[in-house]
mmCIF file of all heavy atoms in Angstrom:
data_model
loop_
_atom_site.group_PDB
_atom_site.id
_atom_site.type_symbol
_atom_site.label_atom_id
_atom_site.label_comp_id
_atom_site.label_asym_id
_atom_site.label_seq_id
_atom_site.Cartn_x
_atom_site.Cartn_y
_atom_site.Cartn_z
ATOM 1 N N LEU T 28 0.828 -1.216 0.000
ATOM 2 C CA LEU T 28 0.000 0.000 0.000
ATOM 3 C C LEU T 28 0.857 1.258 0.000
ATOM 4 O O LEU T 28 0.596 2.194 -0.753
ATOM 5 C CB LEU T 28 -0.914 0.016 1.225
ATOM 6 C CG LEU T 28 -2.148 -0.860 1.169
ATOM 7 C CD1 LEU T 28 -2.830 -0.872 2.530
ATOM 8 C CD2 LEU T 28 -3.107 -0.382 0.099
ATOM 9 N N VAL T 29 1.868 1.288 0.835
ATOM 10 C CA VAL T 29 2.741 2.463 0.917
ATOM 11 C C VAL T 29 3.467 2.671 -0.410
ATOM 12 O O VAL T 29 3.564 3.793 -0.910
ATOM 13 C CB VAL T 29 3.728 2.330 2.099
ATOM 14 C CG1 VAL T 29 4.797 3.407 2.042
ATOM 15 C CG2 VAL T 29 2.981 2.398 3.426
ATOM 16 N N ALA T 30 3.954 1.593 -0.995
ATOM 17 C CA ALA T 30 4.673 1.695 -2.271
ATOM 18 C C ALA T 30 3.776 2.266 -3.364
ATOM 19 O O ALA T 30 4.206 3.096 -4.161
ATOM 20 C CB ALA T 30 5.209 0.328 -2.685
ATOM 21 N N HIS T 31 2.511 1.846 -3.389
ATOM 22 C CA HIS T 31 1.592 2.324 -4.423
ATOM 23 C C HIS T 31 1.081 3.739 -4.167
ATOM 24 O O HIS T 31 0.599 4.398 -5.076
ATOM 25 C CB HIS T 31 0.414 1.361 -4.584
ATOM 26 C CG HIS T 31 0.782 0.133 -5.345
ATOM 27 N ND1 HIS T 31 1.376 -0.956 -4.757
ATOM 28 C CD2 HIS T 31 0.679 -0.160 -6.658
ATOM 29 C CE1 HIS T 31 1.613 -1.883 -5.663
ATOM 30 N NE2 HIS T 31 1.207 -1.425 -6.827
ATOM 31 N N SER T 32 1.175 4.209 -2.935
ATOM 32 C CA SER T 32 0.685 5.560 -2.632
ATOM 33 C C SER T 32 1.764 6.617 -2.775
ATOM 34 O O SER T 32 1.455 7.804 -2.885
ATOM 35 C CB SER T 32 0.092 5.604 -1.223
ATOM 36 O OG SER T 32 1.096 5.386 -0.249
ATOM 37 N N GLN T 33 3.015 6.231 -2.789
ATOM 38 C CA GLN T 33 4.101 7.213 -2.801
ATOM 39 C C GLN T 33 4.081 8.097 -4.045
ATOM 40 O O GLN T 33 4.183 9.322 -3.943
ATOM 41 C CB GLN T 33 5.452 6.522 -2.688
ATOM 42 C CG GLN T 33 6.590 7.519 -2.570
ATOM 43 C CD GLN T 33 7.919 6.857 -2.279
ATOM 44 O OE1 GLN T 33 7.989 5.677 -1.996
ATOM 45 N NE2 GLN T 33 8.966 7.635 -2.347
ATOM 46 N N ASN T 34 3.940 7.535 -5.228
ATOM 47 C CA ASN T 34 3.948 8.351 -6.452
ATOM 48 C C ASN T 34 2.794 9.340 -6.513
ATOM 49 O O ASN T 34 3.008 10.510 -6.851
ATOM 50 C CB ASN T 34 3.994 7.474 -7.693
ATOM 51 C CG ASN T 34 5.367 6.870 -7.913
ATOM 52 O OD1 ASN T 34 6.360 7.349 -7.386
ATOM 53 N ND2 ASN T 34 5.417 5.806 -8.689
ATOM 54 N N PRO T 35 1.552 8.928 -6.217
ATOM 55 C CA PRO T 35 0.475 9.930 -6.248
ATOM 56 C C PRO T 35 0.666 11.043 -5.223
ATOM 57 O O PRO T 35 0.403 12.208 -5.517
ATOM 58 C CB PRO T 35 -0.789 9.112 -5.950
ATOM 59 C CG PRO T 35 -0.446 7.709 -6.281
ATOM 60 C CD PRO T 35 1.022 7.568 -6.024
ATOM 61 N N ILE T 36 1.133 10.698 -4.040
ATOM 62 C CA ILE T 36 1.359 11.725 -3.017
ATOM 63 C C ILE T 36 2.491 12.648 -3.451
ATOM 64 O O ILE T 36 2.390 13.868 -3.325
ATOM 65 C CB ILE T 36 1.638 11.072 -1.643
ATOM 66 C CG1 ILE T 36 0.356 10.408 -1.127
ATOM 67 C CG2 ILE T 36 2.157 12.101 -0.648
ATOM 68 C CD1 ILE T 36 0.550 9.584 0.126
ATOM 69 N N GLU T 37 3.546 12.083 -3.979
ATOM 70 C CA GLU T 37 4.655 12.897 -4.476
ATOM 71 C C GLU T 37 4.193 13.814 -5.605
ATOM 72 O O GLU T 37 4.592 14.982 -5.677
ATOM 73 C CB GLU T 37 5.795 11.999 -4.950
ATOM 74 C CG GLU T 37 7.076 12.731 -5.215
ATOM 75 C CD GLU T 37 8.251 11.797 -5.469
ATOM 76 O OE1 GLU T 37 8.465 10.860 -4.674
ATOM 77 O OE2 GLU T 37 8.958 12.027 -6.476
ATOM 78 N N GLY T 38 3.331 13.324 -6.465
ATOM 79 C CA GLY T 38 2.791 14.143 -7.546
ATOM 80 C C GLY T 38 1.958 15.301 -7.025
ATOM 81 O O GLY T 38 2.056 16.427 -7.527
ATOM 82 N N ALA T 39 1.136 15.039 -6.012
ATOM 83 C CA ALA T 39 0.311 16.103 -5.425
ATOM 84 C C ALA T 39 1.190 17.167 -4.778
ATOM 85 O O ALA T 39 0.959 18.371 -4.951
ATOM 86 C CB ALA T 39 -0.654 15.505 -4.401
ATOM 87 N N LEU T 40 2.198 16.737 -4.054
ATOM 88 C CA LEU T 40 3.115 17.681 -3.430
ATOM 89 C C LEU T 40 3.878 18.464 -4.501
ATOM 90 O O LEU T 40 4.053 19.679 -4.384
ATOM 91 C CB LEU T 40 4.081 16.946 -2.502
ATOM 92 C CG LEU T 40 5.147 17.800 -1.823
ATOM 93 C CD1 LEU T 40 4.541 18.956 -1.038
ATOM 94 C CD2 LEU T 40 6.015 16.926 -0.927
ATOM 95 N N GLY T 41 4.295 17.794 -5.558
ATOM 96 C CA GLY T 41 4.985 18.465 -6.653
ATOM 97 C C GLY T 41 4.118 19.546 -7.286
ATOM 98 O O GLY T 41 4.607 20.630 -7.633
ATOM 99 N N HIS T 42 2.835 19.260 -7.422
ATOM 100 C CA HIS T 42 1.887 20.227 -7.969
ATOM 101 C C HIS T 42 1.841 21.489 -7.101
ATOM 102 O O HIS T 42 1.887 22.619 -7.603
ATOM 103 C CB HIS T 42 0.511 19.558 -8.063
ATOM 104 C CG HIS T 42 -0.571 20.380 -8.644
ATOM 105 N ND1 HIS T 42 -0.533 20.906 -9.917
ATOM 106 C CD2 HIS T 42 -1.761 20.760 -8.120
ATOM 107 C CE1 HIS T 42 -1.644 21.571 -10.154
ATOM 108 N NE2 HIS T 42 -2.398 21.508 -9.078
ATOM 109 N N LEU T 43 1.793 21.296 -5.790
ATOM 110 C CA LEU T 43 1.778 22.427 -4.861
ATOM 111 C C LEU T 43 3.093 23.203 -4.909
ATOM 112 O O LEU T 43 3.104 24.440 -4.933
ATOM 113 C CB LEU T 43 1.508 21.929 -3.439
ATOM 114 C CG LEU T 43 0.087 21.445 -3.173
ATOM 115 C CD1 LEU T 43 0.047 20.509 -1.976
ATOM 116 C CD2 LEU T 43 -0.840 22.631 -2.955
ATOM 117 N N LEU T 44 4.198 22.487 -4.918
ATOM 118 C CA LEU T 44 5.503 23.157 -4.965
ATOM 119 C C LEU T 44 5.683 23.930 -6.267
ATOM 120 O O LEU T 44 6.183 25.062 -6.259
ATOM 121 C CB LEU T 44 6.629 22.134 -4.799
ATOM 122 C CG LEU T 44 6.736 21.443 -3.436
ATOM 123 C CD1 LEU T 44 7.799 20.359 -3.477
ATOM 124 C CD2 LEU T 44 7.020 22.450 -2.329
ATOM 125 N N ASP T 45 5.274 23.321 -7.383
ATOM 126 C CA ASP T 45 5.389 24.002 -8.679
ATOM 127 C C ASP T 45 4.580 25.288 -8.711
ATOM 128 O O ASP T 45 5.032 26.305 -9.250
ATOM 129 C CB ASP T 45 4.965 23.072 -9.816
ATOM 130 C CG ASP T 45 5.967 21.954 -10.064
ATOM 131 O OD1 ASP T 45 7.107 22.033 -9.560
ATOM 132 O OD2 ASP T 45 5.588 20.984 -10.763
ATOM 133 N N ALA T 46 3.389 25.259 -8.124
ATOM 134 C CA ALA T 46 2.559 26.471 -8.084
ATOM 135 C C ALA T 46 3.249 27.544 -7.250
ATOM 136 O O ALA T 46 3.249 28.722 -7.617
ATOM 137 C CB ALA T 46 1.172 26.152 -7.510
ATOM 138 N N GLY T 47 3.849 27.149 -6.132
ATOM 139 C CA GLY T 47 4.575 28.105 -5.298
ATOM 140 C C GLY T 47 5.811 28.656 -5.981
ATOM 141 O O GLY T 47 6.131 29.839 -5.860
ATOM 142 N N LYS T 48 6.505 27.798 -6.713
ATOM 143 C CA LYS T 48 7.681 28.260 -7.465
ATOM 144 C C LYS T 48 7.263 29.249 -8.540
ATOM 145 O O LYS T 48 7.912 30.290 -8.725
ATOM 146 C CB LYS T 48 8.402 27.074 -8.091
ATOM 147 C CG LYS T 48 9.111 26.193 -7.085
ATOM 148 C CD LYS T 48 9.678 24.959 -7.775
ATOM 149 C CE LYS T 48 10.230 23.960 -6.785
ATOM 150 N NZ LYS T 48 10.769 22.762 -7.452
ATOM 151 N N ALA T 49 6.187 28.950 -9.245
ATOM 152 C CA ALA T 49 5.701 29.843 -10.305
ATOM 153 C C ALA T 49 5.265 31.186 -9.727
ATOM 154 O O ALA T 49 5.436 32.225 -10.373
ATOM 155 C CB ALA T 49 4.543 29.186 -11.058
ATOM 156 N N ALA T 50 4.734 31.180 -8.521
ATOM 157 C CA ALA T 50 4.301 32.422 -7.876
ATOM 158 C C ALA T 50 5.468 33.147 -7.214
ATOM 159 O O ALA T 50 5.309 34.277 -6.742
ATOM 160 C CB ALA T 50 3.222 32.116 -6.835
ATOM 161 N N GLY T 51 6.623 32.495 -7.135
ATOM 162 C CA GLY T 51 7.783 33.114 -6.525
ATOM 163 C C GLY T 51 7.823 33.011 -5.008
ATOM 164 O O GLY T 51 8.621 33.686 -4.361
ATOM 165 N N SER T 52 6.995 32.178 -4.427
ATOM 166 C CA SER T 52 6.943 32.085 -2.968
ATOM 167 C C SER T 52 7.615 30.834 -2.398
ATOM 168 O O SER T 52 7.842 30.757 -1.192
ATOM 169 C CB SER T 52 5.487 32.145 -2.492
ATOM 170 O OG SER T 52 4.706 31.145 -3.129
ATOM 171 N N ILE T 53 7.945 29.870 -3.250
ATOM 172 C CA ILE T 53 8.606 28.631 -2.824
ATOM 173 C C ILE T 53 9.982 28.567 -3.473
ATOM 174 O O ILE T 53 10.151 28.920 -4.646
ATOM 175 C CB ILE T 53 7.775 27.383 -3.212
ATOM 176 C CG1 ILE T 53 6.413 27.379 -2.515
ATOM 177 C CG2 ILE T 53 8.535 26.088 -2.924
ATOM 178 C CD1 ILE T 53 6.453 27.169 -1.017
ATOM 179 N N ARG T 54 10.958 28.109 -2.729
ATOM 180 C CA ARG T 54 12.326 27.969 -3.234
ATOM 181 C C ARG T 54 12.354 27.117 -4.495
ATOM 182 O O ARG T 54 11.623 26.136 -4.613
ATOM 183 C CB ARG T 54 13.200 27.296 -2.185
ATOM 184 C CG ARG T 54 13.348 28.076 -0.918
ATOM 185 C CD ARG T 54 13.957 27.237 0.164
ATOM 186 N NE ARG T 54 15.172 26.570 -0.286
ATOM 187 C CZ ARG T 54 16.188 26.290 0.499
ATOM 188 N NH1 ARG T 54 16.141 26.610 1.775
ATOM 189 N NH2 ARG T 54 17.250 25.678 0.032
ATOM 190 N N ALA T 55 13.199 27.467 -5.415
ATOM 191 C CA ALA T 55 13.313 26.749 -6.684
ATOM 192 C C ALA T 55 14.188 25.505 -6.566
ATOM 193 O O ALA T 55 14.146 24.641 -7.437
ATOM 194 C CB ALA T 55 13.869 27.672 -7.763
ATOM 195 N N ASP T 56 14.960 25.388 -5.496
ATOM 196 C CA ASP T 56 15.917 24.291 -5.378
ATOM 197 C C ASP T 56 15.396 23.086 -4.594
ATOM 198 O O ASP T 56 16.178 22.251 -4.146
ATOM 199 C CB ASP T 56 17.222 24.796 -4.746
ATOM 200 C CG ASP T 56 17.024 25.307 -3.329
ATOM 201 O OD1 ASP T 56 15.880 25.626 -2.945
ATOM 202 O OD2 ASP T 56 18.030 25.403 -2.589
ATOM 203 N N VAL T 57 14.086 22.976 -4.437
ATOM 204 C CA VAL T 57 13.503 21.833 -3.732
ATOM 205 C C VAL T 57 12.600 21.057 -4.675
ATOM 206 O O VAL T 57 12.060 21.610 -5.635
ATOM 207 C CB VAL T 57 12.706 22.262 -2.479
ATOM 208 C CG1 VAL T 57 13.604 22.930 -1.465
ATOM 209 C CG2 VAL T 57 11.545 23.165 -2.845
ATOM 210 N N ASP T 58 12.475 19.774 -4.402
ATOM 211 C CA ASP T 58 11.532 18.967 -5.175
ATOM 212 C C ASP T 58 10.700 18.119 -4.220
ATOM 213 O O ASP T 58 10.997 18.011 -3.026
ATOM 214 C CB ASP T 58 12.247 18.098 -6.216
ATOM 215 C CG ASP T 58 13.163 17.047 -5.619
ATOM 216 O OD1 ASP T 58 13.143 16.817 -4.397
ATOM 217 O OD2 ASP T 58 13.905 16.424 -6.397
ATOM 218 N N ALA T 59 9.648 17.548 -4.755
ATOM 219 C CA ALA T 59 8.701 16.799 -3.935
ATOM 220 C C ALA T 59 9.358 15.599 -3.265
ATOM 221 O O ALA T 59 9.075 15.299 -2.100
ATOM 222 C CB ALA T 59 7.502 16.363 -4.781
ATOM 223 N N HIS T 60 10.220 14.922 -3.986
ATOM 224 C CA HIS T 60 10.863 13.739 -3.406
ATOM 225 C C HIS T 60 11.667 14.116 -2.155
ATOM 226 O O HIS T 60 11.570 13.454 -1.120
ATOM 227 C CB HIS T 60 11.762 13.058 -4.442
ATOM 228 C CG HIS T 60 12.411 11.824 -3.936
ATOM 229 N ND1 HIS T 60 11.717 10.643 -3.740
ATOM 230 C CD2 HIS T 60 13.687 11.586 -3.554
ATOM 231 C CE1 HIS T 60 12.538 9.730 -3.266
ATOM 232 N NE2 HIS T 60 13.742 10.274 -3.144
ATOM 233 N N GLY T 61 12.438 15.180 -2.245
ATOM 234 C CA GLY T 61 13.224 15.625 -1.098
ATOM 235 C C GLY T 61 12.357 16.035 0.078
ATOM 236 O O GLY T 61 12.669 15.722 1.230
ATOM 237 N N VAL T 62 11.271 16.744 -0.207
ATOM 238 C CA VAL T 62 10.374 17.173 0.872
ATOM 239 C C VAL T 62 9.724 15.951 1.520
ATOM 240 O O VAL T 62 9.603 15.886 2.748
ATOM 241 C CB VAL T 62 9.316 18.173 0.349
ATOM 242 C CG1 VAL T 62 8.300 18.507 1.431
ATOM 243 C CG2 VAL T 62 10.002 19.437 -0.157
ATOM 244 N N LEU T 63 9.345 14.965 0.722
ATOM 245 C CA LEU T 63 8.759 13.745 1.299
ATOM 246 C C LEU T 63 9.765 13.013 2.183
ATOM 247 O O LEU T 63 9.379 12.426 3.200
ATOM 248 C CB LEU T 63 8.236 12.815 0.213
ATOM 249 C CG LEU T 63 6.899 13.216 -0.393
ATOM 250 C CD1 LEU T 63 6.486 12.226 -1.474
ATOM 251 C CD2 LEU T 63 5.813 13.316 0.669
ATOM 252 N N LEU T 64 11.024 13.032 1.813
ATOM 253 C CA LEU T 64 12.039 12.418 2.674
ATOM 254 C C LEU T 64 12.075 13.111 4.034
ATOM 255 O O LEU T 64 12.171 12.453 5.075
ATOM 256 C CB LEU T 64 13.412 12.482 2.012
ATOM 257 C CG LEU T 64 13.629 11.553 0.831
ATOM 258 C CD1 LEU T 64 14.994 11.830 0.180
ATOM 259 C CD2 LEU T 64 13.530 10.093 1.252
ATOM 260 N N LEU T 65 12.013 14.440 4.036
ATOM 261 C CA LEU T 65 11.985 15.176 5.301
ATOM 262 C C LEU T 65 10.741 14.822 6.123
ATOM 263 O O LEU T 65 10.828 14.566 7.319
ATOM 264 C CB LEU T 65 11.993 16.683 5.043
ATOM 265 C CG LEU T 65 13.289 17.303 4.557
ATOM 266 C CD1 LEU T 65 13.054 18.744 4.152
ATOM 267 C CD2 LEU T 65 14.356 17.199 5.630
ATOM 268 N N ILE T 66 9.604 14.814 5.462
ATOM 269 C CA ILE T 66 8.341 14.530 6.144
ATOM 270 C C ILE T 66 8.318 13.105 6.691
ATOM 271 O O ILE T 66 7.762 12.838 7.754
ATOM 272 C CB ILE T 66 7.153 14.785 5.192
ATOM 273 C CG1 ILE T 66 7.042 16.278 4.878
ATOM 274 C CG2 ILE T 66 5.851 14.288 5.796
ATOM 275 C CD1 ILE T 66 6.042 16.596 3.780
ATOM 276 N N ALA T 67 8.951 12.179 5.987
ATOM 277 C CA ALA T 67 8.939 10.787 6.406
ATOM 278 C C ALA T 67 9.542 10.599 7.794
ATOM 279 O O ALA T 67 9.147 9.687 8.535
ATOM 280 C CB ALA T 67 9.685 9.924 5.385
ATOM 281 N N TYR T 68 10.451 11.466 8.164
ATOM 282 C CA TYR T 68 11.048 11.339 9.488
ATOM 283 C C TYR T 68 10.061 11.611 10.612
ATOM 284 O O TYR T 68 10.299 11.220 11.755
ATOM 285 C CB TYR T 68 12.296 12.213 9.615
ATOM 286 C CG TYR T 68 13.498 11.510 9.047
ATOM 287 C CD1 TYR T 68 13.904 11.746 7.745
ATOM 288 C CD2 TYR T 68 14.189 10.576 9.797
ATOM 289 C CE1 TYR T 68 14.981 11.079 7.209
ATOM 290 C CE2 TYR T 68 15.272 9.902 9.264
ATOM 291 C CZ TYR T 68 15.664 10.153 7.972
ATOM 292 O OH TYR T 68 16.725 9.483 7.440
ATOM 293 N N LEU T 69 8.951 12.242 10.304
ATOM 294 C CA LEU T 69 7.914 12.405 11.328
ATOM 295 C C LEU T 69 7.410 11.043 11.799
ATOM 296 O O LEU T 69 6.931 10.906 12.918
ATOM 297 C CB LEU T 69 6.748 13.244 10.796
ATOM 298 C CG LEU T 69 7.036 14.722 10.566
ATOM 299 C CD1 LEU T 69 5.824 15.400 9.939
ATOM 300 C CD2 LEU T 69 7.432 15.411 11.847
ATOM 301 N N GLY T 70 7.520 10.036 10.934
ATOM 302 C CA GLY T 70 7.107 8.685 11.306
ATOM 303 C C GLY T 70 7.933 8.097 12.435
ATOM 304 O O GLY T 70 7.552 7.097 13.038
ATOM 305 N N ARG T 71 9.052 8.707 12.756
ATOM 306 C CA ARG T 71 9.895 8.228 13.847
ATOM 307 C C ARG T 71 9.437 8.750 15.207
ATOM 308 O O ARG T 71 9.945 8.326 16.237
ATOM 309 C CB ARG T 71 11.344 8.627 13.618
ATOM 310 C CG ARG T 71 11.945 7.921 12.428
ATOM 311 C CD ARG T 71 13.369 8.378 12.220
ATOM 312 N NE ARG T 71 13.974 7.647 11.136
ATOM 313 C CZ ARG T 71 14.929 6.730 11.303
ATOM 314 N NH1 ARG T 71 15.363 6.451 12.494
ATOM 315 N NH2 ARG T 71 15.426 6.113 10.259
ATOM 316 N N LEU T 72 8.494 9.681 15.201
ATOM 317 C CA LEU T 72 7.984 10.208 16.467
ATOM 318 C C LEU T 72 7.239 9.111 17.215
ATOM 319 O O LEU T 72 6.505 8.318 16.617
ATOM 320 C CB LEU T 72 7.016 11.368 16.224
ATOM 321 C CG LEU T 72 7.590 12.657 15.679
ATOM 322 C CD1 LEU T 72 6.467 13.632 15.348
ATOM 323 C CD2 LEU T 72 8.555 13.272 16.667
ATOM 324 N N ASP T 73 7.411 9.094 18.530
ATOM 325 C CA ASP T 73 6.622 8.185 19.354
ATOM 326 C C ASP T 73 5.181 8.674 19.381
ATOM 327 O O ASP T 73 4.923 9.878 19.276
ATOM 328 C CB ASP T 73 7.162 8.151 20.789
ATOM 329 C CG ASP T 73 8.510 7.461 20.886
ATOM 330 O OD1 ASP T 73 8.795 6.576 20.044
ATOM 331 O OD2 ASP T 73 9.275 7.811 21.806
ATOM 332 N N ARG T 74 4.261 7.759 19.550
ATOM 333 C CA ARG T 74 2.839 8.126 19.557
ATOM 334 C C ARG T 74 2.526 9.178 20.627
ATOM 335 O O ARG T 74 1.707 10.053 20.405
ATOM 336 C CB ARG T 74 1.969 6.878 19.789
ATOM 337 C CG ARG T 74 2.057 5.832 18.694
ATOM 338 C CD ARG T 74 1.502 6.289 17.381
ATOM 339 N NE ARG T 74 0.055 6.338 17.459
ATOM 340 C CZ ARG T 74 -0.701 7.069 16.660
ATOM 341 N NH1 ARG T 74 -0.155 7.815 15.738
ATOM 342 N NH2 ARG T 74 -1.997 7.071 16.778
ATOM 343 N N ASP T 75 3.189 9.110 21.768
ATOM 344 C CA ASP T 75 2.880 10.050 22.841
ATOM 345 C C ASP T 75 3.417 11.457 22.589
ATOM 346 O O ASP T 75 3.005 12.402 23.240
ATOM 347 C CB ASP T 75 3.367 9.519 24.194
ATOM 348 C CG ASP T 75 4.871 9.314 24.255
ATOM 349 O OD1 ASP T 75 5.513 9.213 23.193
ATOM 350 O OD2 ASP T 75 5.402 9.251 25.379
#
């Protein structure tokens, strides 16, 4: 399930980042894959 959801989620995030880049409000040197790697570390948080 996780493997099949990664590409659509990455695509959605890429869409948001591209819109921000086009508007000049998001850094041009980031991509969706890199941002997802950062976000994935939230999974290491303990439930509490």
